[in-house]
Amino acid sequence: MVNSYIPNTFRMPVKARVMAEYNSLSELRELLADHHGEPILPVGEGSNLLFTHDYEGVVLISRMVRARALDEDKDSVLIEAEAGLKMDTLIEQLCDMGLWGMENLSHIPGTVGASAVQNVGAYGVEAKDVIVRVNTLSIADGTERVFTNEECQFGYRDSIFKNELHGRYIVTSVVFRLQKDGEPRLDYGNLRTAVHGVPTPSSIREAVIAIRRQKLPEVTELGSAGSFFKNPVISSEQFLALQMQYPDIPHYDALGGIKVPAAWLIEQCGWKGKSLGGARCYEKQPLVLVNAGNATPDDIVNLATAICRDVKTKFNITISPEVNYI
Ligand SMILES: Cc1cc2nc3c(=O)[nH]c(=O)nc-3n(C[C@H](O)[C@H](O)[C@H](O)COP(=O)(O)OP(=O)(O)OC[C@H]3O[C@@H](n4cnc5c(N)ncnc54)[C@H](O)[C@@H]3O)c2cc1C
């Protein structure tokens, strides 16, 4: 058992009634049996969580951090990584090995387990593009269950583990397929111009890290959970009406309509760089809300609520948090 604050990159000083770490599947099964029927929350680095109060349940943290090659064919390698491993540590190793597929996801905080739950994404790539299967343990009875990529029902920062199976499974490891000869994916943002020399997994990784460092706060320096809001998808009719009023409105085609960057909407509402209590809308990227010093959970919630309200009033668009409130 661990008796300290729950890890979270917003740096909220919150505690759990019980917080425990495990080093093996048998230890995890024992913990699940000991706490049968109690609220259970698996936490990685807490980089997508906003704790609004202490957690009246059991926080479980994986210390299982190994990765290994399972199989390979002439084109690709199957890698299994345990859920507690830092995603970026894995990606660094894979890039060093010259394997393609995850380089665009470099420098995203968090663990391998959460990457599947969240379907993390950046620079035109999502975890779902490389995930083959997700190994889990049932919280109710400790039995193992394997989910294929399709069964995970991945969506934009979304999966079955956030929806109908929310709170029912703990991800124990994830199997990824990496390519030996990959296609660089450089069409997103200014990635192409940021890559120096021949694009390789490592040179793309370096470029991604350099861009991210310019735009996003480092969790070691400023508390945040990355992008606080999802980019909304609106109907073509609503978009065309808005475009008449705002000819420069940025947009992308998306499943079910037109995606409008929430950062632009927030900036238009005048929130960029503004504070409310101890919370601030980050001056370099308004999609990010930061703990400017001593923010309370209420400060972050109040700022998020005010931003949502203003975007709704000005554009009649509902933006919703990507961050999980606990
Ligand atoms: C500065 C910054 C930049 C970011 N940039 C990006 C980005 O570019 N793209 C992006 O997609 N995200 C980004 N994020 C968000 C975050 O990094 C990801 O969502 C990440 O996957 C969260 O990992 P974690 O281990 O911290 O999970 P946590 O925040 O601890 O948990 C997230 C969710 O996953 C669940 N969970 C965690 N581990 C397990 C497990 N083993 N089994 C079952 N459920 C589990 C938790 O219960 C919770 O619901 C950013 C965050 C920060 C702070």
Side-chain angles (χ1 to χ4, degrees):
M1 298 290 155
V2 190
N3 193 9
S4 53
Y5 293 119
I6 306 172
N8 69 97
T9 55
F10 258 126
R11 302 185 184 175
M12 294 296 159
V14 282
K15 291 195 167 192
R17 192 171 50 71
V18 176
M19 193 155 74
E21 301 176 350
Y22 54 92
N23 292 290
S24 65
L25 292 187
S26 51
E27 280 182 23
L28 173 57
R29 280 202 184 89
E30 262 176 51
L31 284 166
L32 291 173
D34 289 350
H35 297 284
H36 187 74
E38 299 174 39
I40 302 278
L41 180 69
V43 170
E45 295 182 1
S47 61
N48 204 246
L49 298 176
L50 174 62
F51 287 94
T52 53
H53 46 71
D54 284 348
Y55 182 66
E56 277 306 312
V58 182
V59 162
L60 294 180
I61 298 178
S62 173
R63 293 296 174 223
M64 298 175 66
V65 296
R66 286 167 305 182
R68 61 184 178 135
L70 282 185
D71 199 5
E72 69 177 295
D73 58 27
K74 72 177 198 341
D75 299 320
S76 65
V77 183
L78 274 192
I79 302 282
E80 178 176 23
E82 290 179 333
L85 179 62
K86 274 177 185 276
M87 184 76 167
D88 199 50
T89 303
L90 173 69
I91 295 175
E92 184 178 20
Q93 287 170 7
L94 297 172
C95 288
D96 286 349
M97 290 161 70
L99 292 172
W100 293 81
M102 292 167 86
E103 57 281 356
N104 292 36
L105 302 177
S106 292
H107 211 55
I108 299 178
T111 52
V112 164
S115 76
V117 174
Q118 299 286 120
N119 182 26
V120 292
Y123 298 98
V125 173
E126 291 180 308
K128 74 167 172 56
D129 303 336
V130 279
I131 289 176
V132 176
R133 56 183 181 269
V134 176
N135 299 319
T136 69
L137 222 61
S138 154
I139 289 178
D141 59 16
T143 53
E144 289 179 34
R145 179 166 168 193
V146 180
F147 290 83
T148 62
N149 178 303
E150 204 173 40
E151 286 169 335
C152 290
Q153 297 178 15
F154 289 120
Y156 170 45
R157 305 293 178 270
D158 206 13
S159 72
I160 195 166
F161 307 109
K162 291 178 83 172
N163 295 296
E164 71 184 80
L165 297 185
H166 175 72
R168 293 195 31 208
Y169 289 91
I170 292 186
V171 174
T172 53
S173 66
V174 181
V175 177
F176 303 95
R177 187 180 295 282
L178 282 298
Q179 301 300 323
K180 292 179 180 173
D181 277 316
E183 269 298 304
R185 278 153 302 171
L186 304 174
D187 292 335
Y188 201 94
N190 53 346
L191 187 52
R192 189 174 297 280
T193 51
V195 175
H196 298 299
V198 181
T200 62
S202 290
S203 68
I204 295 171
R205 171 178 166 78
E206 271 172 36
V208 167
I209 293 175
I211 298 173
R212 291 182 68 97
R213 285 208 166 118
Q214 280 168 18
K215 288 208 315 207
L216 293 166
E218 292 289 323
V219 286
T220 46
E221 288 158 21
L222 202 55
S224 87
S227 302
F228 198 92
F229 302 100
K230 293 186 188 180
N231 292 316
V233 175
I234 60 175
S235 69
S236 311
E237 296 75 43
Q238 185 177 8
F239 174 73
L240 289 173
L242 277 173
Q243 204 179 28
M244 303 275 279
Q245 220 179 331
Y246 305 95
D248 296 336
I249 184 169
H251 59 282
Y252 312 91
D253 287 337
L255 207 66
I258 307 288
K259 188 180 274 189
V260 180
W264 184 85
L265 299 169
I266 295 168
E267 190 171 352
Q268 295 297 307
C269 291
W271 277 107
K272 190 175 174 180
K274 290 250 176 75
S275 299
L276 202 60
R280 191 168 78 235
C281 181
Y282 193 50
E283 50 282 5
K284 294 184 197 165
Q285 168 50 281
L287 205 48
V288 177
L289 305 189
V290 298
N291 176 351
N294 296 310
T296 61
D298 278 351
D299 288 341
I300 308 281
V301 173
N302 290 341
L303 176 58
T305 308
I307 289 173
C308 289
R309 182 200 57 214
D310 286 0
V311 169
K312 181 77 183 166
T313 307
K314 193 172 171 74
F315 297 103
N316 193 25
I317 292 178
T318 303
I319 55 170
S320 55
E322 177 186 323
V323 170
N324 301 285
Y325 286 36
I326 304 287

